[in-house]
Amino acid sequence: MTCKKYEIEINTLKNFYEIYCKGKHDYAEHKKYNLEYKDEKFTLDLNICKECQENIEYSFDRLQTCPHEIKPRCRTCPSPCYDKPQWKHTAKVMKYSGVRLGLIQAKQKIKNLFS
């Protein structure tokens, strides 16, 4: 996978986990992640709870070890690297956050129509 694709993937995980954690958990703390992929460095600032930190760190580890040059969607991957319980949890996070992101975008479009 290219470094640009990796950056898109980690930012997607960041956005989805922050939305999920804000909606589902009471306490979030600031955490800075310094990640490296193919000799390129990436920095992410996240505001999520400890449980979500553990889950996103697992996802970052899996993403860094993805063997595919052109990364497929995890649900259609021929050789999944997630453990089944972790995959189910991450899918739940993505579904929850994806719905909210869609609603936020729709709300913004409606606001733009009337302003």
Side-chain angles (χ1 to χ4, degrees):
M1 135 175 52
T2 65
C3 287
K4 185 66 180 163
K5 176 67 174 166
Y6 178 79
E7 184 176 24
I8 290 167
E9 292 288 331
I10 61 173
N11 282 316
T12 299
L13 284 168
K14 173 196 182 305
N15 292 336
F16 279 33
Y17 267 95
E18 283 184 330
I19 289 168
Y20 179 81
C21 190
K22 184 178 178 183
K24 295 284 189 173
H25 303 130
D26 294 332
Y27 177 73
E29 62 182 57
H30 180 79
K31 173 106 179 192
K32 188 174 203 162
Y33 287 91
N34 295 307
L35 304 169
E36 190 172 331
Y37 184 75
K38 292 187 178 177
D39 298 325
E40 232 179 281
K41 294 183 187 330
F42 302 91
T43 302
L44 290 176
D45 289 312
L46 284 107
N47 293 302
I48 55 178
C49 69
K50 287 274 188 207
E51 178 186 342
C52 288
Q53 285 175 20
E54 291 171 10
N55 288 317
I56 201 168
E57 287 167 8
Y58 179 86
S59 294
F60 288 156
D61 288 342
R62 296 292 148 226
L63 190 58
Q64 286 182 330
T65 59
C66 181
H68 303 287
E69 190 57 37
I70 299 173
K71 184 187 173 309
R73 292 181 180 260
C74 291
R75 77 177 115 153
T76 60
C77 184
S79 55
C81 56
Y82 276 75
D83 292 332
K84 195 72 156 179
Q86 283 295 112
W87 186 86
K88 285 183 177 184
H89 179 73
T90 302
K92 186 170 94 173
V93 168
M94 296 292 199
K95 183 177 179 181
Y96 177 90
S97 300
V99 168
R100 272 135 194 91
L101 277 174
L103 292 174
I104 290 168
Q105 289 172 351
K107 182 179 171 184
Q108 190 61 42
K109 287 180 182 178
I110 291 169
K111 274 186 174 180
N112 289 341
L113 286 174
F114 293 105
S115 53

